[in-house]
Amino acid sequence: MARNFTLFTGQWADLPLEKVAGLAAQWGFDGLETAVSGEHLDAWRWDDDAYIRDRLDILDRHGLKLWAISNHLKGQAVCDGPIDFRHQGIVGPRVWGDGDPEGVRRRAAEEMKLTARLAQRLGVRTVVGFTGSSIWQYVAMFPPVPAEVTDAGYADFADRWNPILDVFDECGVRFAHEVHPSEIAYDYWSTVRALEAVGHREAFGLNWDPSHFMGQQIDPGSFITEFRNRIYHVDCKDTKMRMGGGRNGIL
């Protein structure tokens, strides 16, 4: 079956969308996975007809299509703990506000809801992104972390993301969580827990990127087999493991 190959624009958020679209067309891509980042997309303008037309016209001028958009940066702030200076650098002033952590999480969640509405207006069915995690800080598991802390982390994820996913359902759009270190689902077992936490609802699926598995020494092929019905989108990047003659580890 033929597949459509798109370029994710998040790494080029310092360039205008027009420029990125022109480059992608030159390089032979079929379309863009356009990021809600930089000037590329603004979720808060989802109901601006002229803005929606302008964004689509840019792709049309370069012969590109749109099958997915992404909002990794604001999704990260929905569940993260702590919220600190690192987030100020990625979420933008509207979501950062006064920097109060719970306010940042609340505004990030609101933007994710608007991202679903933006996707609907743009005619796409998939939003790719991160979820953040209140328990990633404990991943080393020492000092020992009681099981109830981990349980509370997945409950927090469900509490914060189910209302977002309700809007995704309303809009007929799916969220593809990128399984990635620092997220609520970062490997096989944490993905199982995340799906269980939201009751396996259809609005929540996965973005498969083998680079994040290779770095953790997880078999990316078996992940496809296990979660074949939940993989809504694929990103691919090269990964080369250079262990440095025993000096370097996976961290």
Side-chain angles (χ1 to χ4, degrees):
M1 181 185 300
R3 300 293 183 185
N4 298 306
F5 289 87
T6 62
L7 179 70
F8 173 53
T9 73
Q11 285 89 346
W12 289 276
D14 59 324
L15 299 177
L17 183 61
E18 185 83 53
K19 177 67 172 179
V20 178
L23 290 171
Q26 292 176 33
W27 296 333
F29 285 93
D30 300 308
L32 298 179
E33 177 192 329
T34 311
V36 182
S37 185
E39 171 270 355
H40 296 182
L41 283 176
D42 183 349
W44 300 81
R45 299 182 68 180
W46 70 273
D47 58 351
D48 182 337
D49 292 343
Y51 177 75
I52 297 297
R53 186 66 262 161
D54 174 72
R55 297 294 92 181
L56 292 173
D57 283 348
I58 290 173
L59 275 72
D60 288 344
R61 282 196 292 274
H62 296 281
L64 300 172
K65 301 296 184 182
L66 187 66
W67 292 281
I69 65 174
S70 72
N71 199 343
H72 292 72
L73 303 183
K74 285 36 155 291
Q76 183 70 39
V78 172
C79 285
D80 257 6
I83 296 285
D84 57 27
F85 63 92
R86 299 167 299 166
H87 299 82
Q88 185 175 11
I90 66 171
V91 299
R94 180 188 276 120
V95 170
W96 180 255
D98 61 2
D100 172 70
E102 194 55 35
V104 173
R105 296 184 190 103
R106 184 176 64 254
R107 289 184 290 274
E110 180 62 22
E111 179 160 322
M112 295 311 297
K113 294 175 183 178
L114 298 182
T115 302
R117 300 192 189 284
L118 176 64
Q120 182 184 39
R121 293 296 312 282
L122 291 168
V124 304
R125 292 194 59 224
T126 303
V127 172
V128 185
F130 291 150
T131 61
S133 170
S134 64
I135 52 175
W136 174 255
Q137 60 187 306
Y138 305 126
V139 70
M141 291 297 174
F142 193 85
V145 179
E148 54 265 29
V149 172
T150 302
D151 295 341
Y154 283 95
D156 176 73
F157 156 67
D159 289 344
R160 294 183 186 277
W161 273 89
N162 271 320
I164 299 171
L165 296 173
D166 289 343
V167 179
F168 273 76
D169 279 334
E170 173 193 326
C171 295
V173 177
R174 307 177 302 184
F175 183 73
H177 167 59
E178 185 165 342
V179 180
H180 183 289
S182 80
E183 308 308 321
I184 198 67
Y186 59 89
D187 63 4
Y188 173 85
W189 297 109
S190 56
T191 299
V192 170
R193 287 290 305 267
L195 290 169
E196 290 174 346
V198 293
H200 296 273
R201 59 186 300 176
E202 290 295 323
F204 185 82
L206 308 172
N207 179 56
W208 179 83
D209 186 333
S211 68
H212 306 314
F213 300 117
M214 298 302 291
Q216 298 179 76
Q217 300 180 359
I218 297 169
D219 177 14
S222 63
F223 194 91
I224 294 176
T225 302
E226 292 286 346
F227 299 106
R228 57 190 177 276
N229 296 324
R230 285 291 174 164
I231 296 174
Y232 295 162
H233 193 70
V234 170
D235 281 348
C236 283
K237 297 184 290 293
D238 288 337
T239 296
K240 182 177 182 179
M241 301 295 292
R242 293 182 291 185
M243 303 308 282
R247 293 185 176 91
N248 300 332
I250 62 171
L251 298 182

